[in-house]
Amino acid sequence: MGAGGDLRGSVVVETLPKALWFGLWGGAIAFLYKQGFSQVNLPLLSTLIPNLVLGLLLVFRTNTAYERYWDGRKAWGVIVSATRNLGRTLAIGVAAPESSAQAAQTKALYLLAAFALTTKNYLRGEPATADIPPQFLGEEQLDSIPRPPLHLANRLAAYLQSQYRGGHLNESQLATAQTTLDDLVANFTACERIQRTPLPLAYSIHLKQLLLLYNLSLPFQVVATFLWLTPIMVAAISFTILGVEEIGLQIEDPFGRDANDLPLDSLCTMLVDEIEALIRELPLL
Amino acid sequence: MNYPSFDLSVSLARWWRQAFSLRGSVVPETLPRSLVCGAFGVAISALYEQGFTQLHLPFLGSIIPNLVLGLLLVFRTNTAYDRYWEGRKAWGSIINAVRNLARQIWVAVYERESGDRPQKEQALRWLVVFARSVKQYLRQEPLDEDLVALISQSQYQQLQQVNHPSLEVAFWIGDYLQHQYERECLNIYQLNTAQNLLNQLVDNLGVCERIKRTPIPLAYAIHLKQLLVMYCFSLPFQTVEALHWATGPVTALIGFTLLGVEEIAVQIEDPFGRDPNDLPLDAICQVMLRNIEDLIALSPPRP
């Protein structure tokens, strides 16, 4: 089967149970109708919620969610490129002839990689140091710090400044490096914004209410046409529209571990490999 | 399937709970209005049952084209959301600039004398004062008294006298940076980046002001309300023949759905207040202060 039959990452798992409840409701109405309660046939209920309003609200909700997903991806794109650029500057721009200076340089490179790793952990609500090899953090204690990436950015800035004061980095290089660091922090903040600000409650709650009303009123509109097929039709229709809502819910916060979330683990592994390769090359530079 | 079943039931329960939750929802505002519509529907159906069959006027359905009403309504809600999200982005950008500027001041400004350290700490706290005064300004509230913990009494009084406290604080910060440059504690590049970040702060203050000061044009908001009222009140005449006594409840439900969509817009178009649907500005400012304190606690950069 192709993508059409794929359950992993699809909204079927979440949507089907709800759709089945509405199907059951449709069955109950069909039963009443068959028993002779013909007043349950109320085709006028289709005006309850203008299709246009519901449709546009629903689609808008999904598109906003996608916009957030894409914003999150772009923010991570910048984190990746800023980490690479700053890594290169740290490795090549800083003149570190003595071995003690080289140790500090290695430490700074590790902290740089840890920025991305702690950002990932922070966005997932996991402990700051989860899955981070100890050499990346050195003697940094992150457990009691509310936003570990910011702390690491401060450390890196202090390192850059000390290299500048020590004459190992010129002022123009310092300015570029600090700007790259600004980019890292800016995109950490962007991810935080996406994660911390879901769609306004008024919007998401009223949309759910509209969906509920729409689905509950469906059987009354179609029972005279479909008779015993009513439950199936109702379940199918509610499956489609609840599915569209579910997409929005799934991609709204893209930093988790679901099949629909961004592949942060592989992005971070890639960055870690690159930084480690840089560190191995340091003595040769 | 990789999904554990308990996860699924949790997420389903959350869905249902949210569908019926009141906090942050538009139900409290919308329900009374839709009940008025429902009462009108009941009145019409009562008259109809009394024999006033001329109340059945299906032609009223063409008063307002559904398409026009639907598009206007959804457009109104989406515009309001755009303002909400733009306000959030502006605040994100303020947070950002504060973080970066604080780091740069802390790390880059060279401490030559013993008095330099407290002055630097003061500059960092000014950043928080800036954000807090923007928040108060957007809420049209006076400066909050807790600010005294962050600035001196005389500075506080000065802020109370000026027209726009945020701009005054931005001026102080700019002045501090310039002074540090003149006494060669900051190089020209660093001064430049820092001033740019300061500009970013003021720019985003401007964005928030624009959102706050320019509501959706009254002509639009009022005419939409008029259309909604006409639509809801014309409904019973169209449906009374088919629905009889159900006219009231159905009218109330339709009123609820449509007025609710409008109410979303009303709730989110000014996102700087204190409603459950507004931006969590108090929390944002709190976090900002904690970040600054964390920075100050960080061991000072070695000279």
Side-chain angles (χ1 to χ4, degrees):
Chain A
M1 271 194 285
D6 207 343
L7 275 184
R8 200 184 130 71
S10 97
V11 294
V12 173
V13 187
E14 308 269 343
T15 314
L16 206 57
K18 292 178 222 158
L20 290 179
W21 279 109
F22 290 115
L24 224 65
W25 168 249
I29 300 299
F31 178 74
L32 285 176
Y33 186 74
K34 278 289 180 183
Q35 295 296 310
F37 291 93
S38 58
Q39 55 273 57
V40 295
N41 173 29
L42 293 166
L44 249 169
L45 281 188
S46 64
T47 55
L48 200 56
I49 302 157
N51 278 343
L52 180 82
V53 173
L54 183 66
L56 285 176
L57 279 180
L58 197 58
V59 170
F60 173 74
R61 199 246 182 282
T62 307
N63 286 0
T64 332
Y66 176 75
E67 210 179 295
R68 304 160 74 91
Y69 175 87
W70 195 234
D71 271 356
R73 181 62 188 89
K74 280 202 267 194
W76 267 90
V78 180
I79 289 178
V80 169
S81 69
T83 302
R84 287 174 173 166
N85 290 336
L86 193 53
R88 205 181 52 246
T89 311
L90 284 175
I92 297 167
V94 177
E98 314 103 33
S99 65
S100 67
Q102 223 165 59
Q105 197 180 15
T106 309
K107 216 171 83 180
L109 282 169
Y110 274 136
L111 286 186
L112 176 62
F115 182 92
L117 295 168
T118 51
T119 299
K120 181 190 72 177
N121 286 343
Y122 174 79
L123 292 173
R124 288 180 171 173
E126 286 168 6
T129 51
D131 297 335
I132 303 182
Q135 75 268 25
F136 281 80
L137 294 171
E139 64 266 31
E140 299 297 331
Q141 294 299 324
L142 297 178
D143 293 324
S144 58
I145 289 172
R147 282 166 183 71
L150 291 184
H151 179 80
L152 298 180
N154 295 338
R155 286 284 186 225
L156 281 168
Y159 169 77
L160 287 169
Q161 189 69 20
S162 70
Q163 296 307 303
Y164 164 67
R165 293 241 175 263
H168 300 309
L169 198 65
N170 72 36
E171 55 186 9
S172 150
Q173 286 171 317
L174 174 71
T176 323
Q178 296 282 23
T179 311
T180 318
L181 205 52
D182 283 356
D183 282 346
L184 281 177
V185 173
N187 285 285
F188 166 69
T189 311
C191 293
E192 214 184 356
R193 161 167 59 80
I194 293 169
Q195 194 217 20
R196 291 292 174 90
T197 322
L199 194 71
L201 273 179
Y203 201 112
S204 51
I205 294 178
H206 195 59
L207 181 61
K208 284 194 170 63
Q209 290 166 343
L210 293 189
L211 288 171
L212 210 59
L213 282 173
Y214 185 85
N215 287 326
L216 290 179
S217 71
L218 267 177
F220 301 100
Q221 303 166 39
V222 298
V223 68
T225 322
F226 291 124
L227 305 175
W228 283 118
L229 282 178
T230 306
I232 298 168
M233 295 309 292
V234 170
I237 296 176
S238 59
F239 175 76
T240 58
I241 65 173
L242 290 173
V244 177
E245 192 217 3
E246 187 61 34
I247 298 173
L249 289 171
Q250 297 247 335
I251 63 181
E252 185 173 52
D253 173 11
F255 305 119
R257 290 176 180 278
D258 291 343
N260 282 307
D261 289 332
L262 296 170
L264 297 189
D265 283 320
S266 66
L267 282 179
C268 284
T269 315
M270 183 185 75
L271 280 180
V272 165
D273 289 348
E274 288 173 10
I275 294 286
E276 280 180 331
L278 262 183
I279 291 173
R280 276 195 301 275
E281 284 171 25
L282 274 185
L284 312 173
L285 292 172
Chain B
M1 268 186 280
N2 293 356
Y3 298 87
S5 57
F6 61 87
D7 248 355
L8 178 61
S9 64
V10 165
S11 92
L12 287 177
R14 200 173 44 217
W15 195 92
W16 289 104
R17 216 173 32 246
Q18 206 183 34
F20 290 104
S21 75
L22 281 182
R23 201 188 131 69
S25 91
V26 293
V27 173
E29 279 81 11
T30 315
L31 204 59
R33 294 172 210 163
S34 58
L35 289 181
V36 171
C37 298
F40 184 72
V42 170
I44 296 298
S45 55
L47 287 173
Y48 184 79
E49 298 295 325
Q50 296 294 314
F52 290 94
T53 48
Q54 60 271 53
L55 285 177
H56 173 56
L57 295 165
F59 182 75
L60 283 187
S62 56
I63 290 189
I64 304 158
N66 275 344
L67 181 77
V68 173
L69 184 67
L71 284 178
L72 280 178
L73 196 58
V74 172
F75 174 76
R76 167 92 171 86
T77 304
N78 288 0
T79 326
Y81 176 77
D82 278 345
R83 303 162 72 93
Y84 173 88
W85 194 235
E86 202 185 352
R88 181 63 185 89
K89 277 204 217 164
W91 267 90
S93 186
I94 289 177
I95 298 175
N96 232 334
V98 166
R99 284 175 176 173
N100 286 330
L101 194 50
R103 198 185 61 245
Q104 291 191 2
I105 290 176
W106 190 246
V107 172
V109 175
Y110 184 58
E111 289 167 27
R112 198 169 287 163
E113 297 150 20
S114 61
D116 288 353
R117 168 58 62 93
Q119 220 185 341
K120 210 181 201 180
E121 288 177 7
Q122 179 64 82
L124 293 195
R125 296 210 167 92
W126 281 340
L127 292 170
V128 181
V129 175
F130 176 86
R132 283 220 206 156
S133 65
V134 170
K135 179 191 73 178
Q136 297 302 101
Y137 178 77
L138 293 173
R139 290 179 173 173
Q140 290 168 319
E141 289 170 6
L143 286 177
D144 64 317
E145 286 170 9
D146 297 351
L147 283 186
V148 183
L150 299 173
I151 50 178
S152 70
Q153 193 67 41
S154 65
Q155 286 171 341
Y156 181 65
Q157 276 159 3
Q158 206 178 334
L159 284 188
Q160 277 181 317
Q161 280 155 13
V162 295
N163 201 9
H164 202 318
S166 316
L167 291 181
E168 179 72 13
V169 179
F171 178 77
W172 294 346
I173 300 168
D175 190 46
Y176 169 80
L177 292 170
Q178 188 67 28
H179 183 63
Q180 297 309 313
Y181 167 66
E182 278 159 15
R183 56 197 287 264
E184 292 180 356
C185 291
L186 200 64
N187 73 37
I188 181 77
Y189 292 98
Q190 289 168 326
L191 175 71
N192 196 10
T193 347
Q195 295 283 18
N196 279 341
L197 287 169
L198 195 56
N199 290 348
Q200 193 185 326
L201 281 178
V202 176
D203 285 349
N204 284 289
L205 164 65
V207 172
C208 293
E209 270 181 322
R210 166 162 59 74
I211 295 173
K212 173 80 195 176
R213 295 283 184 82
T214 327
I216 194 146
L218 268 181
Y220 197 111
I222 293 178
H223 193 58
L224 180 62
K225 277 196 202 329
Q226 291 165 344
L227 290 187
L228 281 171
V229 169
M230 284 169 70
Y231 184 84
C232 290
F233 280 82
S234 71
L235 273 173
F237 300 101
Q238 304 166 43
T239 57
V240 69
E241 193 195 26
L243 295 176
H244 300 281
W245 286 108
T247 308
V250 170
T251 309
L253 271 180
I254 298 181
F256 174 72
T257 59
L258 294 179
L259 296 172
V261 177
E262 194 223 357
E263 184 59 30
I264 297 172
V266 174
Q267 298 244 335
I268 63 180
E269 74 179 334
D270 173 13
F272 305 119
R274 292 174 184 278
D275 296 338
N277 280 303
D278 288 332
L279 297 172
L281 298 187
D282 287 317
I284 288 176
C285 288
Q286 208 57 43
V287 167
M288 210 178 262
L289 180 62
R290 223 180 315 143
N291 290 342
I292 300 275
E293 300 293 348
D294 181 46
L295 190 61
I296 291 176
L298 180 81
S299 62
R302 278 140 298 184

